Amino acid sequence: MSCPVGSECQLPIDIVLRSSDQVLIGAHTANLEQWSEGFPPADGVSKPTDGQPEIVDLTEDAETLKTLLQCMHKVQYPDIPVLDGEKLFTLAHAAEKYRVHSAMAVCHSVISYQTTIDRYPLQSLSYAVKFNYPRVADLAAPCTLGESLMTIKELFGNEKTTVLAWLEYRESYLKAYDTLVIPSSRSPSRCSRWNNFYQAVQADLPRTPTAYLKAIAEKKSSGLLGVYEKQRDHLNFADCVRHGCSKLLEEWKCAADSSLASTPSFTQYT
């Protein structure tokens, strides 16, 4: 049994942490008090009477606790950015639980990377909501739009207000979908070529709201808005000019763009 830092640490071990996988890890009450807010102060821990430090059972696994304890020493921190998703979020939750601010800051920084959010959107959203990181929540929420309601319920458990907020957030995107697939003008062009253009646009757009939400989650909204320009060649005829088809196209495209751009952020519903 030793301190996770190894020979670099010369402090005496005066408390032992037993992980959920039954590994004994040496620690120092002074460091726990100085570097965290979640452990009891040094004078609140029983002093060894038989030469053996007190053993405290914790719910985290040994790897997580060892990484956390390294962040409570004046040494180079472990390479947290290379941790895979499960290990990263387990460490982040432990850092928040015990209020180890050094580890909290590093974990938050790594989870804030767009690459992390894109890879682990559900975990990122759960972490952000639980520990009040609104910027991360707003970055992660669009990436979860393709998920089922059952998945979101499982993610947030008894947090019904958060599930409701997610449903309201998704609904705002579904309203934008209507604008995307239906021309904004109440007076459709009488040009015979407009219908060809309309059908070509419909063929390129997601056929269902579910497919549309998945496209948003996969960051393909710019591709959705590009469909109108892609099919513009259908309107490059004299009849189209006479009937103002280009104007109707611009109105439709602008309405769709505006509808997507004005969709409220997730945290506006929480």
Side-chain angles (χ1 to χ4, degrees), residues 106-258:
V106 177
C107 289
H108 176 254
S109 178
V110 175
I111 295 171
S112 296
Y113 296 161
Q114 191 64 60
T115 51
T116 303
I117 291 171
D118 290 344
R119 191 173 181 183
Y120 308 107
L122 290 171
Q123 297 94 320
S124 299
L125 182 60
S126 175
Y127 159 84
V129 169
K130 183 173 183 178
F131 301 116
N132 192 29
Y133 292 113
R135 189 179 72 84
V136 175
D138 286 336
L139 290 172
C143 302
T144 67
L145 286 170
E147 302 293 340
S148 67
L149 176 57
M150 181 66 69
T151 298
I152 298 301
K153 284 183 175 180
E154 291 175 354
L155 181 68
F156 292 112
N158 294 325
E159 297 292 332
K160 293 182 179 180
T161 54
T162 305
V163 174
L164 178 59
W166 185 85
L167 284 172
E168 292 176 336
Y169 175 69
R170 186 180 68 170
E171 183 65 24
S172 68
Y173 271 94
L174 291 174
K175 289 179 180 178
Y177 175 70
D178 291 340
T179 307
L180 197 71
V181 298
I182 302 173
S184 57
S185 175
R186 294 175 179 265
S187 302
S189 173
R190 296 180 180 179
C191 176
S192 61
R193 300 186 186 276
W194 176 262
N195 189 53
N196 294 335
F197 165 75
Y198 175 76
Q199 290 180 354
V201 168
Q202 292 292 317
D204 270 356
L205 289 172
R207 300 297 181 90
T208 65
T210 299
Y212 155 76
L213 290 173
K214 288 183 177 179
I216 297 295
E218 295 169 2
K219 301 185 181 301
K220 296 179 180 178
S221 59
S222 59
L224 297 177
L225 294 172
V227 167
Y228 308 104
E229 286 298 324
K230 177 183 176 182
Q231 302 299 340
R232 184 184 283 273
D233 287 347
H234 286 280
L235 303 179
N236 289 337
F237 297 90
D239 287 351
C240 300
V241 175
R242 185 166 64 253
H243 288 96
C245 293
S246 291
K247 180 181 179 182
L248 293 177
L249 163 60
E250 291 301 324
E251 289 177 354
W252 188 6
K253 184 174 69 173
C254 288
D257 188 14
S258 176

Side-chain angles (χ1 to χ4, degrees), residues 68-112:
L68 197 63
L69 289 174
Q70 288 180 65
C71 293
M72 288 188 268
H73 284 77
K74 293 181 179 179
V75 296
Q76 183 174 351
Y77 287 173
D79 198 359
I80 292 175
V82 305
L83 296 178
D84 65 26
E86 182 179 355
K87 292 179 180 178
L88 171 63
F89 286 97
T90 299
L91 177 63
H93 281 253
E96 296 284 343
K97 174 182 176 180
Y98 298 112
R99 305 302 294 170
V100 182
H101 291 280
S102 54
M104 288 166 59
V106 177
C107 289
H108 176 254
S109 178
V110 175
I111 295 171
S112 296

